[in-house]
Amino acid sequence: MSSPIELVDLDHVAVAVERWADAWPRFVTTLGGRWMSGGKGPGFAPCQLGFANGMRVEVLEPHQVERNDFLRRFLDRSGPGPHHLTFKVKDLAAALATAESSGYQPISVDMRDPQWKEAFLHPKQSSGVVVQLAQSIEGYWETPPPAGIPERGPVMAGLTRIVHAVADLDAGLQLFGRLLQGSEIDPGTDESTRWVELAWPGPGRVRLVTPASPGSPVAEWIGDRPGRVHHIAFSGVSGAEVEGVVQLADGSAELPPDASTGSRLLLLHP
């Protein structure tokens, strides 16, 4: 049986877009996300938006793709949408050794910067989503907001959970529950799916959802992939007056994936 990585916490979810501004209407105007930081590097420019419970969404746009085209290739292949989940660890070298002993092969390992060390698990090994493992100094980097960012919405939402649909629930639990130490807090079933929600020491939550039968709509949506991020759930914003929102029977509301962010958002009922 594999060993868990010690002292790990879910830090943020990253969404790939063509331009940062494509994310502003949903994540800033509707959900009240607060600008925290942004910068530019070879291949991509990341910025982070903070939400009421301390969780964050990282928005990635292509930059200097001639030096590193990973994000450009992702957008060309899949379009805008969720790109990766980032887990912070206390000791990246030890975490990578544990991952390797458990049968995972970390890629793009970069230990050069003492303030930010990182490595990744390929989605073929990590249930269909890129998993970033990172070691950083304490605290969050903050920079002035860019020109043109709109005023935040009147209410700042909380990022409640990331819902990740997986073809193999056992494989998902082996990674997110066993290796990454997510604690099971909320298993459940309905007519077409079953799920297990996992929690970390901070506010981060991942709900692994799997089809209950081959004919489940989730099975069709996953297709031949090992998994896909299905939606990101927020609380504290009703969505009653949000353009394009679909009211659901349980009182929550859905913002279907749009061309700009490719992200399905669920606004949970109070």
Side-chain angles (χ1 to χ4, degrees), residues 59-77:
V59 181
L60 307 174
E61 71 171 27
H63 180 258
Q64 294 182 348
V65 296
E66 69 281 0
R67 296 180 61 187
N68 187 340
D69 67 350
F70 81 95
L71 188 62
R72 181 71 269 159
R73 287 187 287 108
F74 175 87
L75 287 164
D76 290 343
R77 179 178 65 250

Side-chain angles (χ1 to χ4, degrees), residues 23-125:
W24 300 158
R26 289 196 166 191
F27 291 111
V28 176
T29 304
T30 297
L31 297 172
R34 179 178 74 88
W35 172 271
M36 297 186 69
S37 64
K40 297 183 178 182
F44 72 110
C47 73
Q48 293 202 349
L49 303 172
F51 292 89
N53 60 343
M55 279 296 289
R56 285 164 296 126
V57 170
E58 184 172 70
V59 181
L60 307 174
E61 71 171 27
H63 180 258
Q64 294 182 348
V65 296
E66 69 281 0
R67 296 180 61 187
N68 187 340
D69 67 350
F70 81 95
L71 188 62
R72 181 71 269 159
R73 287 187 287 108
F74 175 87
L75 287 164
D76 290 343
R77 179 178 65 250
S78 304
H83 182 268
H84 69 261
L85 303 177
T86 294
F87 291 83
K88 291 283 188 70
V89 298
K90 188 70 174 179
D91 185 334
L92 182 59
L96 297 183
T98 299
E100 289 175 350
S101 69
S102 300
Y104 299 91
Q105 299 299 320
I107 60 174
S108 301
V109 177
D110 189 345
M111 310 285 277
R112 294 171 296 175
D113 185 349
Q115 297 189 57
W116 181 268
K117 302 176 183 180
E118 65 180 11
F120 298 85
L121 300 180
H122 193 279
K124 289 182 179 179
Q125 283 201 314

